[in-house]
Each structure stands twice: as structure tokens, then as C-alpha cells.
Amino acid sequence: MYLSTINIRMSCKLSKKFIDITQRFTRFFHNVSPKRRVVCSGIGIVSPLGCGSQLAWQKLIGGSIGVKLNKKPGFEGIPSQVAAFVPTGISHGSFNIPDFIKKGDTKYLSQSMIYALVAAEEAIEDSGWRPTDAKCKQRTGVAVGSGMVDMETIAETSLTLKERGYKRVSPYFVPKILVNMSSGHISIRYGFQGPNLSVSTACTTGCHAIGDSMRLIRNSDADVMICGGTEAAIIPVAVAGFSRARALSHLFSQNPESSSRPFDMDRDGFVIGEGAAILVLEEYDHALKRNAKIYGEVLGYGMSGDAYHMTAAHEDGTGAYLSMNAALQDAIISPSDVQYVNAHATSTPIGDAVENVAIKRCFGEHAYNLKISSCKGAIGHLLGAAGAVESAFTLLALHDKIIPPTMNLFKQDKKAGFDLDYVANEAKDYTSSGKRRIALKNSFGFGGTNATLCFGELQ
């Protein structure tokens, strides 16, 4: 009996050792196995420069600005009197709800959901991905987020309940304010049954949604992901809140188009904007088999937390640095491989300076070889949609070999450390000295949440 017990114990030890060795080999081969490549095969944009990715892109590189004086009622008395609205009307590139949404659907769709649906339709049409068989639909997921809930609907419904009673509250109220419903409605409309999720990480939302989608494809949870960000928060209560936090620009109402001025010496805050961008991300071989158009490849994804303050990053830029460095490591490239950084740069005094410090820390002397620009001079800050719209523009920059400008950069303060190339006011050719074109896209949000995406031209 004693010997039997010893034999059993020895057998168990050997079994555990064998399992441990097997697990180590499994982890080793998993880590060295080639990653599934992820590419972008479709882009849809709703922006202050207009609806349609090519229209918005051509206006961006042509120097157009979508920031206007905010003349809508309800904003009187708020210091910030400028905003970047999606243009409405029946002209080319304008947003006309009847063109996109059936009559009556607005009772359960918020404005941000409508923007997401319109951008998704363009992206899916652009990609040509409309699967009909069950397996393909099950391998197609959706990840679209917003930085803010529909506060206007909440405020109106609260007032309705107080003044008119329970029976006057819409049964669609809750679905209309849920952040994940943009993803839900896209999934329902097209029958996509793969991963269905929504991230809400303030102004980092769009980049997180794209990065998370890339990893879902890379890890074989999906073959195609419809992903991005959407936002429609230009309402009095939101603008009042941001103004009270001293985050918004208020000095240039006499010349509203010059209000958003990333990296400029006279920047005084961001300009609130709205819109959406949706990307179709796809596994590389999957895209090749169907001869899809490819804008570029998602090479890497990095994240970090500032762990410092609710609304401000630490002046040493550690959070932004960690995010960029993580993206480079995930992409398995060195800083010298990058030629362009599409900056988060919102036109705030602290934020732009911190990102500038972080870029120098991440790239060292190579920072002086970089082209750096912020799209927010042209479109304002689209909050949860910003990272998605600017990722779309970054992919178009790689595809068309043009770097978009930082508009309204009139006075570059070199004494304060702004001595890099910020592509002031005019687009530049995207040269690469024969190397593969590679770009980073930064997004940072309240709460210290950071994300960086690394994109590369197709090779």
C-alpha cells in the first residue's frame, strides 16, 4: 500500500511536469507563429467637412475648415460660440436625414446612431463586403463607440416625466441613450453575427474601437470588423459643461474658422465637433481572396493610462509616450521606421505641449525628421469620433501619399519646444525615401486613457 501511494504520487508529479512542458511549448509556438495581418478595405465618413470619405478628404488636404459660428438657440451666454457641425441640407456632401433614414426611425435613433449608420453604409459599400451566407455573417463583427451618451434626450425625457408624467415617457428612451446601440443597429441592419461590442473611453473611443477590432481579427475571433466612433454632442448642456471646465476655445468668435489652432502659440481650447467614421477591417488573405481594395494595414496598437488627473495629462508626457511605444512594439518596428504622426492635438495649451514632449521622448532625434499634423484645426474635436475620423484620414494619407495640414498654425512657439515640422496650413507630399510608409495615430481622453494605432501602406 505504501509503495502504491509513492508510485501514484510520482506518477502525478510526472504528469504535472509533462503538462507544464506541453504548455510551455504551446505558448512558445503560439508566440512565434505569424500574426494574422489586418487591413482596411472600406472607409465611411460623416464630418464637419461633409459626408463621404473622398469629399471630406479632398477638402481636408485642400485647406477647408468646418468650424463655424454657433447661431443655434440655447447657446446664448456660453463663452464658447463656435462649433464644427456636420453640414446639413440637400447640396452635395451635406447631411439630409430623409436621404438616409426612413421616416419615423428617429423616434428610436439618436443623432450619433444615425451618423454611425450613414458612415457604416458608405464603408460597407466602399469595401464591397455584403455577405449573404451564414458563416460569413457569423465571422463579421461590429465595434462602434461614442464618448458621450445622448444627454439631450435624457434632459428632455427627465423634463417630460416631471411635467407630464410616466405615460408620456417614450418606450424607446433607454435604447436611444445606450452607447452600444450604434453597434447594435449596424449589426441588425446587415445581419452581422460576429463580436458585437462598444467601447466608451471619452476622446480615445474611436482608436480603441479600431484597435480592439484589429485584435479580434488577429486572434481569429472574426475575419471582418465594422468599427469606429460616432458623436453628436453639440448641445447646450454639453457645451456649457466643457466651457465651465475651461476646455473650449472662446477667443476667436469674430473669426470662427481660426478658433481651432493646434500647436499654435495662441491656442486657447478645443472646438467641439460632431460626426462619425467607420472602417471595414479585414484579415489580409480574406481581403485578397475577394480582390478587395486595400487602403493600408493596421500594424500595431498600444494603450496606456496617465494615472494622474481627471482631465489633464502629466507635463512629462509619460502616458502618451507609453502608448506610442507600445504601438511600435506591437508593430515590431523601430521609431525610425515612422515618417508621420497624426497627432491628437486638440488645441488646448496643456494637451498639445504634453503630446509634443511625448513625441520627442518616443522618437528622440528622429522626431526632427517626422511630419506631424492635427486634423482638428480643420474639423474641430469630434470627441469619441475623433480617433476614428482621424484614423480614416491617416489611412488615406498613406494610400494617396499626401500628409494633411495642421490648419491655423500661425505662430509656432519654438521657445516652448514647438520646433518640429507640424505641416502648417498646407498639405505636403508623403515622401518616405524608398521605405515603407508608416504612420502613428494618437488619441487621448479624460481619465487619462490613451491609445495609439500604427498604420502602414500595403506591402
Side-chain angles (χ1 to χ4, degrees):
M1 182 70 179
Y2 178 71
L3 289 173
S4 297
T5 304
I6 292 174
N7 288 335
I8 291 171
R9 287 175 179 172
M10 289 179 66
S11 176
C12 288
K13 286 181 180 179
L14 287 170
S15 296
K16 288 179 181 178
K17 193 170 184 179
F18 175 76
I19 291 171
D20 181 58
I21 292 170
T22 303
Q23 289 176 339
R24 288 183 184 181
F25 270 103
T26 300
R27 285 196 296 268
F28 172 78
F29 283 114
H30 175 76
N31 290 334
V32 300
S33 62
K35 296 177 180 177
R36 278 167 44 110
R37 296 175 64 185
V38 180
V39 297
C40 175
S41 61
I43 297 175
I45 294 176
V46 174
S47 83
L49 293 177
C51 301
S53 59
Q54 285 302 316
L55 173 73
W57 171 240
Q58 292 302 320
K59 285 191 173 183
L60 178 69
I61 61 176
S64 295
I65 295 175
V67 177
K68 308 294 181 185
L69 192 66
N70 185 357
K71 298 180 180 179
K72 291 192 174 184
F75 295 89
E76 302 86 354
I78 298 174
S80 182
Q81 291 290 303
V82 294
F85 290 101
V86 171
T88 57
I90 59 174
S91 61
H92 177 62
S94 294
F95 193 85
N96 187 36
I97 286 183
D99 291 341
F100 306 110
I101 302 298
K102 292 180 182 177
K103 186 177 181 180
D105 285 358
T106 53
K107 63 187 176 183
Y108 61 82
L109 292 172
S110 69
Q111 190 71 12
S112 65
M113 294 172 195
I114 294 171
Y115 287 160
L117 283 165
V118 172
E121 174 64 23
E122 184 195 0
I124 290 167
E125 182 68 23
D126 186 36
S127 175
W129 179 243
R130 292 183 180 272
T132 55
D133 65 285
K135 186 176 180 181
C136 288
K137 288 183 178 182
Q138 291 164 11
R139 298 290 297 169
T140 303
V142 186
V144 179
S146 297
M148 300 175 70
V149 296
D150 183 357
M151 290 192 290
E152 190 166 39
T153 294
I154 294 173
E156 290 173 352
T157 303
S158 296
L159 188 63
T160 297
L161 178 62
K162 184 178 180 179
E163 295 183 349
R164 304 178 67 187
Y166 157 76
K167 290 187 177 181
R168 303 301 297 178
V169 173
S170 169
Y172 300 109
F173 166 62
V174 172
K176 197 170 182 179
I177 66 169
L178 293 178
V179 170
N180 75 304
M181 286 305 294
S182 292
S183 287
H185 284 300
I186 293 169
S187 171
I188 292 165
R189 175 167 291 191
Y190 299 100
F192 298 145
Q193 295 180 300
N196 186 314
L197 64 153
S198 181
V199 61
S200 181
T201 47
C203 303
T204 318
T205 296
C207 272
H208 276 146
I210 295 167
D212 291 349
S213 295
M214 180 271 280
R215 287 187 175 174
L216 287 168
I217 296 171
R218 181 190 281 179
N219 293 337
S220 298
D221 294 298
D223 294 324
V224 180
M225 289 294 298
I226 315 301
C227 58
T230 184
E231 202 78 86
I234 311 178
I235 57 174
V237 66
V239 174
F242 280 122
S243 289
R244 288 289 292 158
R246 298 182 180 179
L248 297 182
S249 174
H250 65 278
L251 295 179
F252 305 100
S253 297
Q254 299 303 314
N255 187 16
E257 289 194 349
S258 70
S259 297
S260 182
R261 44 179 68 201
F263 302 118
D264 188 79
M265 188 186 299
D266 294 329
R267 66 194 185 279
D268 73 316
F270 73 82
V271 172
I272 191 168
E274 63 178 3
I278 302 297
L279 305 183
V280 177
L281 297 189
E282 190 168 350
E283 194 274 325
Y284 175 62
D285 289 331
H286 187 278
L288 284 187
K289 286 178 183 177
R290 64 184 195 88
N291 198 30
K293 172 176 56 182
I294 296 176
Y295 288 99
E297 184 172 358
V298 190
L299 301 175
Y301 174 37
M303 296 177 284
S304 73
D306 289 337
Y308 176 66
H309 188 269
M310 288 188 298
T311 60
H314 195 284
E315 61 184 11
D316 69 4
T318 296
Y321 161 76
L322 291 172
S323 181
M324 287 186 282
N325 190 55
L328 294 173
Q329 289 186 10
D330 189 46
I332 317 176
I333 61 172
S334 67
S336 61
D337 293 322
V338 177
Q339 305 93 18
Y340 172 50
V341 175
N342 188 306
H344 180 65
T346 63
S347 182
T348 60
I350 295 175
D352 292 10
V354 167
E355 186 170 12
N356 193 57
V357 168
I359 289 171
K360 289 184 176 182
R361 181 176 173 185
C362 181
F363 290 94
E365 285 300 312
H366 182 61
Y368 292 91
N369 300 321
L370 293 172
K371 298 291 186 291
I372 302 162
S373 71
S374 172
C375 301
K376 293 182 178 72
I379 62 173
H381 187 7
L382 276 59
L383 308 179
V389 172
E390 292 159 19
S391 290
F393 287 146
T394 305
L395 284 159
L396 288 165
L398 290 165
H399 185 265
D400 291 355
K401 301 176 179 57
I402 302 172
I403 294 178
T406 302
M407 297 305 295
N408 299 319
L409 179 46
F410 307 117
K411 292 188 288 186
Q412 193 168 309
D413 191 355
K414 293 186 178 182
K415 290 183 179 179
F418 292 96
D419 55 355
L420 304 178
D421 185 349
Y422 306 102
V423 195
N425 302 309
E426 290 186 6
K428 292 186 177 180
D429 290 336
Y430 193 155
T431 57
S432 64
S433 301
K435 296 173 65 176
R436 182 185 193 184
R437 289 173 179 81
I438 296 176
L440 294 189
K441 168 63 209 146
N442 287 331
S443 279
F444 314 129
F446 280 4
T449 177
N450 308 309
T452 300
L453 294 167
C454 181
F455 297 106
E457 68 177 333
L458 189 64
Q459 275 194 341

